[in-house]
Each structure stands twice: as C-alpha cells, then as structure tokens.
Amino acid sequence: MSRTRRAIAVGALALLPIAPAVVTAVVAASPAHASQPLRAHAEARGKFIGTAVATTQLANESSYRTIAATEFDQITAENAMKWESTEPSPNQFTFSGADAVVAFAEQNGQQVHGHTLVWHSQTPNWVENLDAAGMRSAMNSHIAKVVGRYADNPVVRSWDVVNEAFNEDGTMRDSFWYRKLGGGYIADAFRAARAADPDAKLCINDYNVEGVNSKSTAMYNLVKTLRGQGVPIDCVGFQGHLSLQYGFPGQVRENVQRFADLGVDVRFTEIDIRMKTPRDSAKDAQQATYYRNVMDACLAVSRCVGVTIWGFTDKYSWVPDTFPGEGAALPYDENYGRKPAYTAIHDALAAGGPDPSDTTPPTAPGRPSVSAVTSSGATLTWTAATDNVGVTGYDVYSGTTRLGSATGTSLTLTGLTPNTAYTVHVVARDAAGNTSPASGTVDFTTLAGQSTGCTPSYRLVNSWPGGFQGEITLRCASAVTSWKTTLIYPSGVGVTQAWSSRMSGSGPAYTFTNADWNGTIPAGGSTTFGYIGSWNGTGTPPAPALS
Ligand code: G3I
C-alpha cells in the first residue's frame, strides 16, 4: 500500500514539543545561519544529521532528550530494533523499545533509520541453531513482521537490511547466515524487505568501508552485481567507527562517489571518532578535523543523504567498553558540553560547504597525455584547470562513461579492457558542482592480454545442491603460446578446484593460466578447462563475467 510519507517534509518541526524555541528558529531559517542547531543547517543543505539513541536515556534524561530533539533531524535506535530486542524468542515480537524511538521521532519531526534486520551479532541463539530451511523462514518472517510494522509510518524511511557481511579482505564473513544459507541470503533479505515495504530505502551497512580498500571494493562489487540482477538494494551505509590512532581513511569522497555512481544513496550511519583517553586539546582538534572530513565528504556528493553519529555524548558510548583506554569519541562531553568536534560538524554544515551562488565553472583542464599503458590500465596527466573559488577534483571520461576521478592532475586508470582503443577527456569540477568544458581528447589502445586472440565462453556442465561444474573454452583466432583468462563471480559463489589450468585468486575474481601442456593453441584452435564451484542458491548457478 502506498503512503504519504514522501510528501512529509524532513523538518516538519511544527510537531516539536520539547524545544519550542527551535520551531521558530528553524522555520525562519532559509538559508540557515551560524547560531542555529545542526539540523537547521543540514536541512538547508538537503542532508540529514542524525544520532543513535538509547531508549533508557530517552526515557529518563531530559538533557539527553532535548539535545537529541533539537540538534538532530534523524535518529537510529542504538539497540532497540535489533533482532534480540524485537524477536527474542521464535515468533514472539516485542516492540516497546522500537515504538518508543519511533514515537520520539514523530514528536520531533525526525526520520528513523531502522537498524538492523540481518546481522550475525545481537541475534538470539535460537536463530543460529536453526537448520537452513528454518533459518530462511525465520529471516523472511522477521523481516516481514519488523519492516511491515512500520511500513505505513511516514517517519521510518530506511533499513539496514544486512549488516557487516564482509571480512576485512573482502571475502564474505563466515557468519551463521552465510554458512547455512550461502551468499544468496543477502539478496533474499533485500527481496523480503522490499516485499514488506515497497517505499523504504534498503541499505547494506558495514564498518571499515569508508575509504577505498579491499572491503569497500568487495561491497561495491556486490552492490553492482545485485543491482544488475534486479535485487532491490537502494543504499549503502558506511558505519564510520574511526580512531585517531589509525588515521583518517584514504579516498573517502571518491568512495562515496563511486557508490553514488552505481545509483544508490550513501549514508554515514554510525560515526564516532575515538581517541586514547584522557582527552587533550591536540586530540580534540584532530578529532574535529576528522569529523569535518566526514561531513565534507558527504556534502560533496549529492547522493550522500546524510550523516548519523553513533550517540552524541561521551557520557554514553559503546567505545570504552569495547576498547579499554579509548573513548571521548562523540561531539558532546560527559556533561553535555560541546566539544570542538561539534563546532566542526556545525561549521561544515553551516559555512564550510560550497557557495550556492557560485555558478562560475572551472576552465577546461589541459589535454591529457598518456603513459604507462598496460593491458588493463594507463596513466593520464594533464595541466590544471582554474576556478574563481577553487577546483576540487577532476573526472576522466571515455565518451559519457566516467573511468575514474582524481583530486590532483594525474590518474592511473585501472580495469580497462585489453586490446581496446580508448578516447578520453578530463572535466574539472568545483565545490558548488560546476563542471568545466571538456579538455581535448587523447587516444590510446590498451595492450593485448596474454590470451590475445582467444575468446572465452562458459558452459554449465551440471549442478547439485551446494555446487556445480563449470567449463571454459578458449577459442583463438590467432596462435598463442600461453593464455590467461579471468572469471568474476557474484558473492556467494566460490571456485574450489580446477583442472587443465592453474588457478589463482580467492574470489570474486579467479584467474586461470595454461597448464604446462596446453599453452600452445594454433590459430583457429581451442582449449577447454573445467572447475568445481560452490554455491548454495536455488535454480541455475550464476554465470561468471569473463575477461
Ligand atoms: O541492556 C543490558 C543491561 O541490562 C546489562 O546490564 C548490560 C551489562 O553488560 O548490558 C546491556 O546490554 C548491552 C547493550 O549494548 C545495551 O547497552 C550489551 O551488553 C552490549 O553488548 C550492547 O552493545 C551494543 C553493541 O552494538 C552490541 O554489538 C552497543 O550498545 C551498540 O552501540 C553497538 O552498536 C553497533 C552497531 O549496532 C553495529 N555496528 C557497530 C556498533 C558498535 O559496536
């Protein structure tokens, strides 16, 4: 059933009972000015600013309630919507905590992000102990019941459908979900959530995926694959549990942008930035810079819909319990005093962003020169564009396809197709989103891969519950003395053994090179190798992408 939620403005502050002074201030605020709460500035920028909330503090502490209501226009239940809270025993649902959070949001003109449906943690043991059929059915019924409860509620806009599905190296986490149901549990969970609420934004959420790294790339590949298969995934959540001692992650803005380019929303879902305690002014300043960096990364990409902080006061945070000797991770101190981190968030939202009146685009960058061409990449270098305010980045295109982005005047392209001609150009952009005219173009052709002249084709030989046998035939137009081909599988599929070839890789990409005896193929000839795959889904095992 459709509902009216989309017509309701995020800042429906006429409903705000706790701090009536804010009602006037926010409604009058266009554009927001510096003395206003975070939410006023966020709304003026078309983003949300949120916090996780704990039901005990919401119920018992007025200072906590007031800040949660006045500063934030989005809330996430820190624990109250998790499986152990909502369905502690089979088919016994308790929504008192979840309902309290939703009621608070309704009173205060806030949106709610549901956290979380399918996770390996804070899920009762009875779920883990089910057999595969029972677990699949429990997952579907849990999603239907929990998402369905709020499907017609206009403030509950989005859900973390699957949480923390990856290992740090990008392989799938060996959770009880994965072990029992195979990687297909992710697509199944999203389909169940869409069936329960056709309008909610459905997200996959994880930690250590803020910058470009193996884990975020695996997540990127999964989202791309799932969307290609029509799985209803709308959004990606970067948790953002950062620590001063590990430094700020690399390429956060670029990472947000690459997900945005897949057509999904991006949100920072659980930001906190811990330090070794006690605090001092240098650590506070560094923490403020990190908060500012997060805000700026979100503000720079239109599909980044907002930032949620994982609590707001150091009085209540999961950090010291989990990381002894660390803490002070939030923008308010233990006495609800604002820290430099608060000012950084405020200033990013209020003043640090692009000037909307700037409509002057940068000049065109110089025509790029090309070097270090390989079978899959090339390095481009160009002279800088200029801008009345400042150039913030460059995008490299082949026609209308964006091949990559850089903040400086050079970019090494990767993932190109061997033996292929490219004509590329560069476009500069500024913080206000103005883009320059295109640079001149440069042509180059990638080198042939080792399987020059050979085209791979795939055949499913047979399949059985849990696995299948695949076969690749390489047909070669010209003679080769060695060959190499790569298969890329969606998550949930693994290749466990191969013959008539040498295999390397642990997924999603598997590379096969010739065995000692079958590297030589004459012009017009072919060779075939086979392999065994693992897969727990139903129907026909997915075919690999071939290159
Ligand atoms: O409510 C009980 C209380 O009755 C009992 O006395 C006390 C004794 O330990 O425990 C209380 O429960 C704790 C609960 O938080 C509520 O405070 C649990 O022990 C504790 O494990 C639980 O921790 C939560 C943690 O997830 C569990 O994994 C944190 O509050 C919560 O902030 C944290 O949030 C996660 C996100 O959901 C997912 N991403 C990572 C993030 C941080 O770990």
Side-chain angles (χ1 to χ4, degrees):
M1 185 172 111
S2 75
R3 63 199 145 165
T4 54
R5 74 159 56 129
R6 299 294 169 251
I8 294 182
V10 173
L13 286 177
L15 298 170
L16 185 68
I18 289 171
V22 175
V23 176
T24 355
V26 173
V27 171
S30 191
H33 56 78
S35 62
Q36 292 185 313
L38 302 179
R39 60 185 289 172
H41 297 291
E43 285 160 20
R45 301 290 293 276
K47 310 283 182 188
F48 68 75
I49 182 76
T51 180
V53 289
T55 46
T56 309
Q57 282 76 51
L58 270 193
N60 298 330
E61 241 191 279
S62 67
S63 305
Y64 184 95
R65 271 199 303 275
T66 300
I67 294 175
T70 56
E71 292 288 343
F72 301 100
D73 60 3
Q74 182 277 328
I75 57 175
T76 302
E78 186 176 1
N79 289 298
M81 289 186 172
K82 293 172 179 174
W83 195 314
E84 69 177 12
S85 302
T86 53
E87 193 187 3
S89 308
N91 217 21
Q92 301 295 311
F93 289 88
T94 57
F95 288 108
S96 49
D99 285 353
V101 169
V102 172
F104 185 82
E106 286 169 335
Q107 288 160 13
N108 295 299
Q110 297 168 315
Q111 54 172 298
V112 172
H113 178 65
H115 173 80
T116 179
L117 298 168
V118 181
W119 189 24
H120 61 275
S121 180
Q122 288 182 285
T123 301
N125 284 343
W126 65 264
V127 181
E128 185 167 355
N129 294 334
L130 294 167
D131 64 16
M135 191 179 287
R136 186 173 290 109
S137 151
M139 181 182 86
N140 288 333
S141 106
H142 181 81
I143 292 172
K145 188 85 174 180
V146 176
V147 175
R149 181 176 184 83
Y150 303 105
D152 289 327
N153 187 312
V155 307
V156 182
R157 308 278 184 87
S158 51
W159 285 94
D160 287 330
V161 176
V162 173
N163 195 34
E164 301 175 4
F166 290 98
N167 294 316
E168 299 306 291
D169 64 1
T171 54
M172 299 303 293
R173 182 190 288 272
D174 188 31
S175 68
F176 60 85
W177 295 111
Y178 184 78
R179 278 197 300 278
K180 286 261 169 75
L181 303 183
Y185 84 89
I186 297 178
D188 290 346
F190 276 91
R191 291 192 179 105
R194 178 66 95 230
D197 184 347
D199 294 335
K201 294 274 192 184
L202 305 179
C203 311
I204 186 165
N205 191 49
D206 217 319
Y207 59 88
N208 287 350
V209 292
E210 297 74 34
V212 174
N213 57 38
S214 308
K215 192 174 183 180
S216 65
T217 298
M219 194 171 179
Y220 173 87
N221 289 332
L222 176 67
V223 171
K224 190 173 181 183
T225 302
L226 291 181
R227 284 178 64 83
Q229 294 169 347
V231 175
I233 178 164
D234 310 309
C235 147
V236 168
F238 300 165
Q239 292 186 6
H241 295 291
L242 306 182
S243 167
L244 296 190
Q245 62 180 316
Y246 300 128
F248 194 78
Q251 297 178 281
V252 174
R253 193 196 65 75
E254 289 84 347
N255 196 35
V256 175
Q257 184 69 58
R258 70 171 170 162
F259 279 97
D261 290 345
L262 291 179
V264 291
D265 286 350
V266 179
R267 45 202 298 153
F268 289 92
T269 50
E270 305 180 17
I271 296 292
D272 48 28
I273 300 166
R274 61 187 187 270
M275 59 178 71
K276 287 191 173 152
T277 48
R279 294 165 59 197
D280 62 29
S281 55
K283 292 179 202 168
D284 276 4
Q286 194 187 353
Q287 181 188 54
T289 302
Y290 282 25
Y291 270 102
R292 177 70 187 243
N293 291 347
V294 170
M295 299 308 300
D296 284 347
C298 187
L299 288 162
V301 180
S302 60
R303 282 209 85 130
C304 181
V305 289
V307 175
T308 308
I309 303 163
W310 204 238
F312 55 89
T313 167
D314 292 338
K315 189 172 180 182
Y316 305 111
S317 165
W318 69 288
V319 170
D321 291 338
T322 306
F323 300 99
E326 294 183 71
L330 294 166
Y332 286 82
D333 68 20
E334 287 157 355
N335 301 310
Y336 295 110
R338 291 173 178 173
K339 295 161 59 179
Y342 175 92
T343 310
I345 297 167
H346 176 278
D347 290 356
L349 290 169
D355 173 2
S357 67
D358 173 23
T359 54
T360 307
T363 60
R367 177 177 180 269
S369 60
V370 62
S371 62
V373 178
T374 67
S375 60
S376 61
T379 298
L380 298 173
T381 307
W382 56 88
T383 52
T386 60
D387 184 68
N388 60 326
V389 177
V391 172
T392 53
Y394 296 90
D395 299 302
V396 174
Y397 289 91
S398 168
T400 55
T401 304
R402 197 176 62 87
L403 298 177
S405 298
T407 48
T409 54
S410 180
L411 177 67
T412 296
L413 299 170
T414 58
L416 303 181
T417 307
N419 205 21
T420 301
Y422 287 86
T423 299
V424 302
H425 66 270
V426 184
V427 171
R429 58 184 138 71
D430 65 17
N434 300 305
T435 51
S436 74
S439 71
T441 58
V442 65
D443 300 328
F444 63 90
T445 299
T446 47
L447 302 181
Q450 277 178 287
S451 60
T452 315
C454 302
T455 305
S457 61
Y458 163 76
R459 182 171 81 91
L460 175 66
V461 178
N462 57 21
S463 66
W464 53 88
F468 64 94
Q469 180 181 338
E471 186 180 273
I472 300 292
T473 298
L474 287 171
R475 292 188 176 79
C476 303
S478 50
V480 297
T481 54
S482 66
W483 49 262
K484 171 172 143 183
T485 189
T486 300
L487 277 52
I488 301 174
Y489 266 110
S491 72
V493 183
V495 178
T496 53
Q497 67 182 99
W499 55 90
S500 303
S501 66
R502 291 195 183 93
M503 181 178 79
S504 61
S506 53
Y510 298 88
T511 296
F512 299 81
T513 52
N514 56 279
D516 291 340
W517 50 270
N518 66 355
T520 299
I521 306 172
S526 68
T527 192
T528 295
F529 66 88
Y531 59 95
I532 298 295
S534 62
W535 181 65
N536 277 323
T538 51
T540 305
L546 303 172
S547 66

